[in-house]
Amino acid sequence: MDAYDVLDELSEAAAELVHRGLVLASGGNVSIRVGDTVYISPTGARLHALSPETFAQVDLHTGKRLNEFKPSSELPMHLACYRARPDAVAVIHCHPPHVTALASLGLTLPAMTADFFVYLDALYLPLVPYITPGTEALAQAVAEKLAQAPAVLLGNHGIIATGPSVKRTLDRVLLAEETARVYLLAKQHSEPRVLNEEDWRALREAHYGKGQ
Ligand code: 13P
């Protein structure tokens, strides 16, 4: 797969975020890394209308612009993700309603179903409380939390997810939103049981989700 094909896939994933109500208008941004080049949606772009030739290109190490398109204002956060997680090939930032509600309550996202472990490879998703969007301070806070999990909740803002492919990164965002919805629904009645380390170990022993 060359860069054009992956950007085509990323454009489709970004449109899916809009169609599923996980981001609106020009909110959110997406990127991929190909070698030392990061291709990122341009600032102000509407995520349902991206195409491979509209992405801004930036050097991963210096942050220097490599073409005429102005990168997303969240470029510092995307670059920090690639630097913090060498396994990251794609990064998606969007504003899923249930995830954003949970993060704004100051809560982390616990594992509610077995698929959480399969897709997110973590016991819970950590939280970065609200920091002004687009700042280096936000990028640094996110990079620190990415040591614990491949995605991070952003208070009063949304989520940022990394992954080894566009598909896996999109699945992580979708799974996080599904989990936040289930968690908040359950919490309206009482404090739900959440899955723990022991549940995760038992799933690994049962080889659950190996085909995903
Ligand atoms: P950009 O249009 O600059 O990518 O900003 C959108 C956004 O969601 C900021 O968090």
PDB file of all heavy atoms in Angstrom, residues 26-29 43-44 72-74 93 95 157, ligand 1:
ATOM      1  N   SER A  26     -16.005  21.366  11.322  1.00  0.00           N
ATOM      2  CA  SER A  26     -14.555  21.273  11.109  1.00  0.00           C
ATOM      3  C   SER A  26     -13.833  20.800  12.372  1.00  0.00           C
ATOM      4  O   SER A  26     -12.629  20.989  12.514  1.00  0.00           O
ATOM      5  CB  SER A  26     -13.991  22.615  10.652  1.00  0.00           C
ATOM      6  OG  SER A  26     -14.220  23.562  11.658  1.00  0.00           O
ATOM      7  N   GLY A  27     -14.550  20.186  13.310  1.00  0.00           N
ATOM      8  CA  GLY A  27     -13.900  19.634  14.500  1.00  0.00           C
ATOM      9  C   GLY A  27     -13.105  18.394  14.127  1.00  0.00           C
ATOM     10  O   GLY A  27     -13.332  17.781  13.089  1.00  0.00           O
ATOM     11  N   GLY A  28     -12.161  18.035  14.969  1.00  0.00           N
ATOM     12  CA  GLY A  28     -11.394  16.802  14.801  1.00  0.00           C
ATOM     13  C   GLY A  28     -10.315  16.902  13.742  1.00  0.00           C
ATOM     14  O   GLY A  28     -10.271  17.852  12.947  1.00  0.00           O
ATOM     15  N   ASN A  29      -9.412  15.961  13.773  1.00  0.00           N
ATOM     16  CA  ASN A  29      -8.309  15.911  12.798  1.00  0.00           C
ATOM     17  C   ASN A  29      -7.745  14.495  12.776  1.00  0.00           C
ATOM     18  O   ASN A  29      -7.871  13.757  13.759  1.00  0.00           O
ATOM     19  CB  ASN A  29      -7.208  16.953  13.122  1.00  0.00           C
ATOM     20  CG  ASN A  29      -7.197  17.314  14.582  1.00  0.00           C
ATOM     21  OD1 ASN A  29      -6.692  16.545  15.389  1.00  0.00           O
ATOM     22  ND2 ASN A  29      -7.799  18.450  14.924  1.00  0.00           N
ATOM     23  N   THR A  43      -5.967  22.481   8.685  1.00  0.00           N
ATOM     24  CA  THR A  43      -6.792  23.159   9.677  1.00  0.00           C
ATOM     25  C   THR A  43      -8.086  23.658   9.030  1.00  0.00           C
ATOM     26  O   THR A  43      -8.093  24.106   7.884  1.00  0.00           O
ATOM     27  CB  THR A  43      -6.017  24.327  10.354  1.00  0.00           C
ATOM     28  OG1 THR A  43      -6.795  24.831  11.420  1.00  0.00           O
ATOM     29  CG2 THR A  43      -5.656  25.445   9.382  1.00  0.00           C
ATOM     30  N   GLY A  44      -9.165  23.507   9.771  1.00  0.00           N
ATOM     31  CA  GLY A  44     -10.470  23.945   9.271  1.00  0.00           C
ATOM     32  C   GLY A  44     -11.142  22.955   8.337  1.00  0.00           C
ATOM     33  O   GLY A  44     -12.260  23.207   7.885  1.00  0.00           O
ATOM     34  N   SER A  72      -3.386  20.956  10.599  1.00  0.00           N
ATOM     35  CA  SER A  72      -4.316  21.103  11.730  1.00  0.00           C
ATOM     36  C   SER A  72      -3.647  21.821  12.891  1.00  0.00           C
ATOM     37  O   SER A  72      -2.452  21.640  13.154  1.00  0.00           O
ATOM     38  CB  SER A  72      -4.741  19.704  12.188  1.00  0.00           C
ATOM     39  OG  SER A  72      -5.314  19.785  13.466  1.00  0.00           O
ATOM     40  N   SER A  73      -4.435  22.576  13.639  1.00  0.00           N
ATOM     41  CA  SER A  73      -3.918  23.266  14.831  1.00  0.00           C
ATOM     42  C   SER A  73      -3.486  22.262  15.904  1.00  0.00           C
ATOM     43  O   SER A  73      -2.766  22.620  16.833  1.00  0.00           O
ATOM     44  CB  SER A  73      -4.990  24.198  15.396  1.00  0.00           C
ATOM     45  OG  SER A  73      -6.178  23.466  15.628  1.00  0.00           O
ATOM     46  N   GLU A  74      -3.937  21.008  15.763  1.00  0.00           N
ATOM     47  CA  GLU A  74      -3.542  19.973  16.734  1.00  0.00           C
ATOM     48  C   GLU A  74      -2.295  19.210  16.273  1.00  0.00           C
ATOM     49  O   GLU A  74      -1.990  18.139  16.807  1.00  0.00           O
ATOM     50  CB  GLU A  74      -4.691  18.996  16.984  1.00  0.00           C
ATOM     51  CG  GLU A  74      -5.913  19.620  17.622  1.00  0.00           C
ATOM     52  CD  GLU A  74      -5.711  20.049  19.083  1.00  0.00           C
ATOM     53  OE1 GLU A  74      -4.566  20.046  19.561  1.00  0.00           O
ATOM     54  OE2 GLU A  74      -6.723  20.399  19.715  1.00  0.00           O
ATOM     55  N   HIS A  93      -8.202  12.193  16.129  1.00  0.00           N
ATOM     56  CA  HIS A  93      -8.743  13.012  17.223  1.00  0.00           C
ATOM     57  C   HIS A  93     -10.153  13.451  16.837  1.00  0.00           C
ATOM     58  O   HIS A  93     -10.351  13.998  15.737  1.00  0.00           O
ATOM     59  CB  HIS A  93      -7.861  14.245  17.460  1.00  0.00           C
ATOM     60  CG  HIS A  93      -8.559  15.298  18.259  1.00  0.00           C
ATOM     61  ND1 HIS A  93      -9.114  15.052  19.497  1.00  0.00           N
ATOM     62  CD2 HIS A  93      -8.836  16.607  17.992  1.00  0.00           C
ATOM     63  CE1 HIS A  93      -9.677  16.144  19.955  1.00  0.00           C
ATOM     64  NE2 HIS A  93      -9.532  17.108  19.052  1.00  0.00           N
ATOM     65  N   HIS A  95     -14.531  14.108  18.689  1.00  0.00           N
ATOM     66  CA  HIS A  95     -15.288  14.573  19.853  1.00  0.00           C
ATOM     67  C   HIS A  95     -16.497  13.671  20.121  1.00  0.00           C
ATOM     68  O   HIS A  95     -17.632  14.147  20.108  1.00  0.00           O
ATOM     69  CB  HIS A  95     -15.770  16.012  19.620  1.00  0.00           C
ATOM     70  CG  HIS A  95     -14.692  16.963  19.161  1.00  0.00           C
ATOM     71  ND1 HIS A  95     -14.933  18.095  18.419  1.00  0.00           N
ATOM     72  CD2 HIS A  95     -13.335  16.945  19.352  1.00  0.00           C
ATOM     73  CE1 HIS A  95     -13.802  18.747  18.172  1.00  0.00           C
ATOM     74  NE2 HIS A  95     -12.808  18.061  18.714  1.00  0.00           N
ATOM     75  N   HIS A 157     -13.214  18.000  25.702  1.00  0.00           N
ATOM     76  CA  HIS A 157     -12.621  18.085  24.374  1.00  0.00           C
ATOM     77  C   HIS A 157     -12.920  16.829  23.526  1.00  0.00           C
ATOM     78  O   HIS A 157     -13.494  16.945  22.467  1.00  0.00           O
ATOM     79  CB  HIS A 157     -11.096  18.301  24.536  1.00  0.00           C
ATOM     80  CG  HIS A 157     -10.386  18.703  23.286  1.00  0.00           C
ATOM     81  ND1 HIS A 157      -9.075  19.124  23.298  1.00  0.00           N
ATOM     82  CD2 HIS A 157     -10.766  18.722  22.001  1.00  0.00           C
ATOM     83  CE1 HIS A 157      -8.701  19.409  22.070  1.00  0.00           C
ATOM     84  NE2 HIS A 157      -9.715  19.170  21.252  1.00  0.00           N
TER      85      HIS A 157
HETATM   86  P1  13P B   1      -8.297  21.911  13.215  1.00  0.00           P
HETATM   87  O1  13P B   1      -9.396  22.282  12.217  1.00  0.00           O
HETATM   88  O2  13P B   1      -7.208  22.940  13.235  1.00  0.00           O
HETATM   89  O3  13P B   1      -7.800  20.517  12.929  1.00  0.00           O
HETATM   90  O4  13P B   1      -8.925  21.916  14.688  1.00  0.00           O
HETATM   91  C1  13P B   1     -10.071  21.163  14.991  1.00  0.00           C
HETATM   92  C2  13P B   1     -10.126  20.655  16.401  1.00  0.00           C
HETATM   93  O5  13P B   1     -10.904  19.779  16.727  1.00  0.00           O
HETATM   94  C3  13P B   1      -9.226  21.170  17.439  1.00  0.00           C
HETATM   95  O6  13P B   1      -9.263  20.322  18.568  1.00  0.00           O
END
